[in-house]
Amino acid sequence: MNSRQPIPVVVLAGFLGSGKTTVLNHLLGNRGGTRIGVVVNDFGSIEVDAMSVAGQVGDSMVSLGGGCLCCAVDGSELDAYLEKLSAPVHRIDVIVIEASGLAEPQEMIRMLMASENPDIRYGGMVEVVDAAEFDATRAKHPETDRHLAVADLVVLNKTDRVDTAERARIEGELAVLCAPGTPVVGADHGRIDPELLFDRRPWTETRGQLSFEDLVAEAEDHGHGPCAHAHAAYESTEFVSEQALSPRRFIDFLDRRPAGLYRVKGFVYFGVPGYRERYEVHAVGRFLRFAPQPWGRGEARLSRLVLIGSGTDGPGLLRELAECREDAPQDARPESMWGILRYVAQPEPPAASPEAAEA
């Protein structure tokens, strides 16, 4: 029986020239000890993008090449590549698909959601936008608006090439084009904090072996790295509760989370009869997923969350989460979990009664 947690698959989309490969290279160069699998989807026979990242990911990269991923009829080719990357031998922590500039992200999302591979799960779609060419891109590619509408997180790249007024205008346009609450992260040269998308693991096996990661780390230690102190633009707030949380109030909190709250991660204890597991929560932008997991032997029943954002009110978020606490979770009815189960990959049918659920 496979006890591993499914590997999140993040779609990195955006039109030609928006800076997707720059963002990807930045993530690869600042990933700490996290093992990233990459699927590069180039349009055309010369795989320039694949070559530009090949030196950083080695055998963990596969390239579709020769056409757009969304043109695959049944997604079987993508499934084969994801099966290769998700094999235990690679010990991959996260997979990033860099979509062709001409790809339809909706189709890519559909294929991932329909995948029968138990070792992967959809991890959200990030749309990269060129701030300097925003209007020209929309004029040339009217489908831009459709792509933005399904994005979970938008990276407004090349902000160093526009002034403050122009950036504010574009952000106003994005607020209309994107779904309500979709975060927009500004960046120049594709430099965003990897923690917004995935957890960076501590340096362990590769440290001290003169690897690519060591060179990047050494440069950053001396303040010369491409993203020295990039994390300074974001705030991190931690919430811990030994008291169970109300599933309904917690979902309400997530539904109204501010656009500046880019990521929520951790696990929650609801204590509802029939649903007393720990529920891992993973939110990137608008994307939200819960995964029930068994508690470890002797592990304390509590909730622990980390909230990462920019311009957010940390004390205010903590107050809102404190209001989610539930005094008597044992009295809650199973249907109170329905809002949570909507975001579980394969939700179990709700229990008919507390007694039946505990049986």
Side-chain angles (χ1 to χ4, degrees):
M1 181 178 177
N2 184 6
S3 60
R4 294 190 306 148
Q5 293 299 312
I7 301 170
V9 181
V10 178
V11 176
L12 186 63
F15 284 97
L16 298 171
S18 63
K20 296 188 306 300
T21 300
T22 304
V23 171
L24 177 58
N25 277 314
H26 173 73
L27 294 175
L28 292 170
N30 294 273
R31 68 188 187 269
T34 301
R35 296 179 66 87
I36 305 178
V38 181
V39 177
V40 177
N41 174 216
D42 295 319
F43 192 87
S45 57
I46 302 177
E47 300 174 4
V48 178
D49 289 348
M51 290 187 288
S52 70
V53 299
Q56 299 187 30
V57 292
D59 292 338
S60 294
M61 186 191 77
V62 293
S63 181
L64 295 175
C68 181
L69 175 62
C70 64
C71 295
V73 175
D74 57 7
S76 58
E77 187 177 16
L78 174 62
D79 287 338
Y81 287 126
L82 292 177
E83 183 175 356
K84 173 185 176 181
L85 285 176
S86 61
V89 66
H90 294 303
R91 294 179 289 118
I92 295 296
D93 298 306
V94 61
I95 297 173
V96 178
I97 298 178
E98 183 192 358
S100 158
L102 301 179
E104 281 292 340
Q106 299 98 318
E107 290 304 306
M108 204 168 299
I109 294 170
R110 179 189 61 77
M111 284 189 281
L112 288 172
M113 297 292 283
S115 174
E116 297 181 356
N117 184 347
D119 293 324
I120 65 165
R121 60 175 172 81
Y122 175 57
M125 196 272 275
V126 179
E127 180 79 6
V128 182
V129 174
D130 183 343
E133 300 292 334
F134 179 69
D135 294 330
T137 300
R138 289 186 68 199
K140 185 177 181 179
H141 301 287
E143 60 270 33
T144 297
D145 295 4
R146 187 171 67 252
H147 295 186
L148 288 168
V150 299
D152 298 299
L153 179 72
V154 174
V155 174
L156 182 59
N157 196 28
K158 306 183 185 180
T159 54
D160 56 312
R161 295 179 55 189
V162 297
D163 59 27
T164 303
E166 176 65 1
R167 176 173 173 174
R169 182 190 70 83
I170 295 172
E171 289 177 342
E173 292 273 356
L174 291 172
V176 175
L177 296 171
C178 298
T182 303
V184 177
V185 180
D188 61 87
H189 299 90
R191 292 178 292 199
I192 63 171
D193 192 332
E195 291 284 345
L196 300 183
L197 302 180
F198 54 81
D199 294 332
R200 281 184 289 191
R201 297 186 181 277
W203 298 95
T204 52
E205 299 174 7
T206 61
R207 201 67 192 254
Q209 299 178 19
L210 295 180
S211 65
F212 174 81
E213 292 181 351
D214 286 301
L215 297 176
V216 171
E218 182 178 357
E220 290 188 340
D221 289 342
H222 290 84
H224 302 304
C227 188
H229 310 297
H231 61 278
Y234 309 105
E235 302 98 30
S236 178
T237 302
E238 183 173 347
F239 172 79
V240 180
S241 175
E242 296 181 356
Q243 190 172 339
L245 301 188
S246 161
R248 286 174 172 159
R249 290 197 290 274
F250 185 59
I251 278 291
D252 287 343
F253 166 80
L254 293 174
D255 284 344
R256 64 174 185 272
R257 63 191 185 273
L261 183 55
Y262 302 139
R263 188 175 180 210
V264 179
K265 61 179 181 176
F267 54 89
V268 183
Y269 174 55
F270 297 113
V272 176
Y275 301 98
R276 290 189 170 131
E277 308 95 327
R278 54 182 275 175
Y279 279 77
E280 180 186 23
V281 58
H282 173 72
V284 174
R286 290 191 310 119
F287 176 76
L288 175 63
R289 177 61 55 87
F290 286 95
Q293 302 171 356
W295 295 96
R297 185 182 298 274
E299 184 177 2
R301 271 50 172 173
L302 52 77
S303 299
R304 185 183 297 274
L305 297 168
V306 177
L307 303 94
I308 302 172
S310 177
T312 54
D313 176 9
L317 292 173
L318 291 177
R319 285 192 298 270
E320 289 188 55
L321 284 169
E323 292 173 358
C324 294
R325 291 190 173 110
E326 177 60 61
D327 292 330
Q330 69 278 4
D331 296 333
R333 296 187 61 81
E335 53 263 33
S336 67
M337 287 291 295
W338 289 356
I340 301 296
L341 297 178
R342 287 172 48 210
Y343 297 100
V344 174
Q346 294 180 336
E348 299 175 352
S353 66
E355 292 77 17
E358 294 292 337

